[in-house]
Amino acid sequence: DAKTTQPPSMDCAEGRAANLPCNHSTISGNEYVYWYRQIHSQGPQYIIHGLKNNETNEMASLIITEDRKSSTLILPHATLRDTAVYYCIVRGDRTDKLIFGTGTRLQVFP
Amino acid sequence: GAVVSQHPSRVICKSGTSVKIECRSLDFQATTMFWYRQFPKQSLMLMATSNEGSKATYEQGVEKDKFLINHASLTLSTLTVTSAHPEDSSFYICSASRLVDTQYFGPGTRLTVL
């Protein structure tokens, strides 16, 4: 599975959009981009995933570049409860293994 | 999203004893369940993958005789830490998926071995 690169930490003001980038320059055509988040001392929470097209659900939007080498997770109106470590993971279509990197620690401040 | 539970949420045991952790998928049938371990300030590390009715597949460096995994039904997997030692103290997290699909995670079990 392709490796991902994320900034170690980011800050965001409450009520503003949080844009979390992820680089996956070695992604192959059949690999999905998944996003999870982990709030302190809890299990990871699924957020969203995509293959080629941009995706949106009740939690977030996922923007994938046309060449698929990077993506951005957007939390449109961040709240204090969105403070967590966000993981971007690339997963092949023939495996359900997830390999977690170090993620981005998002701190939402009042 | 799908709901996965774990029991117990916390356990403290003496060195040398065995501890069993249960993972249940509450609202879907999980063909595959995964076990992860997370040490403080580190990321999740995959320990093993188990398919219902089959032997678990362990990641490199994970002792299969120490971490016994059973996945006897489509809604239940168990992880038994045998002869636990203080270095086994960690946060153990399970996840479940149906076919090759999104994984949903349990809330985790914090194991402390004295």
Side-chain angles (χ1 to χ4, degrees):
Chain A
D1 294 335
K3 185 178 167 58
T4 63
T5 304
Q6 298 178 253
S9 63
M10 292 182 65
D11 290 339
C12 178
E14 190 176 20
R16 304 296 294 268
N19 297 292
L20 291 89
C22 179
N23 182 288
H24 32 78
S25 57
T26 60
I27 194 170
S28 61
N30 61 347
E31 290 182 316
Y32 290 80
V33 180
Y34 274 78
W35 284 83
Y36 286 82
R37 72 181 182 185
Q38 186 178 27
I39 295 168
H40 184 62
S41 294
Q42 297 182 24
Q45 178 188 22
Y46 166 75
I47 302 173
I48 200 167
H49 74 280
L51 183 63
K52 296 180 183 177
N53 300 321
N54 297 336
E55 302 287 345
T56 295
N57 62 21
E58 64 278 4
M59 287 184 69
S61 294
L62 174 60
I63 308 298
I64 303 174
T65 57
E66 196 169 337
D67 62 8
R68 302 186 71 238
K69 292 185 177 181
S70 65
S71 60
T72 301
L73 178 75
I74 301 172
L75 307 178
H77 306 287
T79 71
L80 298 178
R81 286 179 292 184
D82 291 322
T83 293
V85 177
Y86 287 76
Y87 296 98
C88 167
I89 304 168
V90 170
R91 198 208 85 186
D93 66 343
R94 293 180 181 273
T95 175
D96 33 12
K97 265 192 191 183
L98 295 176
I99 305 300
F100 283 78
T102 52
T104 295
R105 184 173 297 278
L106 174 69
Q107 179 70 52
V108 181
F109 57 91
Chain B
V3 180
V4 177
S5 70
Q6 277 184 246
H7 178 79
S9 57
R10 291 178 179 270
V11 57
I12 300 172
C13 69
K14 291 182 179 179
S15 188
T17 61
S18 295
V19 174
K20 181 185 283 189
I21 302 170
E22 289 187 352
C23 176
R24 293 181 185 273
S25 58
L26 299 185
D27 53 1
F28 70 104
Q29 294 188 322
T31 50
T32 308
M33 286 185 166
F34 304 82
W35 287 95
Y36 296 79
R37 181 167 53 180
Q38 186 175 33
F39 292 108
K41 299 190 177 182
Q42 294 186 23
S43 189
L44 282 78
M45 186 190 78
L46 179 65
M47 298 175 66
T49 302
S50 75
N51 292 296
E52 185 262 340
S54 303
K55 286 186 180 179
T57 302
Y58 291 80
E59 295 298 303
Q60 194 170 11
V62 178
E63 300 174 57
K64 62 177 73 173
D65 294 331
K66 181 166 184 64
F67 299 99
L68 302 179
I69 292 171
N70 183 282
H71 189 172
S73 79
L74 286 171
T75 58
L76 174 64
S77 176
T78 60
L79 168 69
T80 301
V81 183
T82 63
S83 186
H85 291 287
E87 57 266 29
D88 298 322
S89 297
S90 188
F91 191 48
Y92 291 86
I93 310 168
C94 74
S95 69
S97 70
R98 194 175 70 88
L99 303 176
V100 184
D101 202 350
T102 300
Q103 281 186 41
Y104 294 95
F105 287 80
T109 296
R110 186 156 307 278
L111 169 64
T112 303
V113 184
L114 303 176

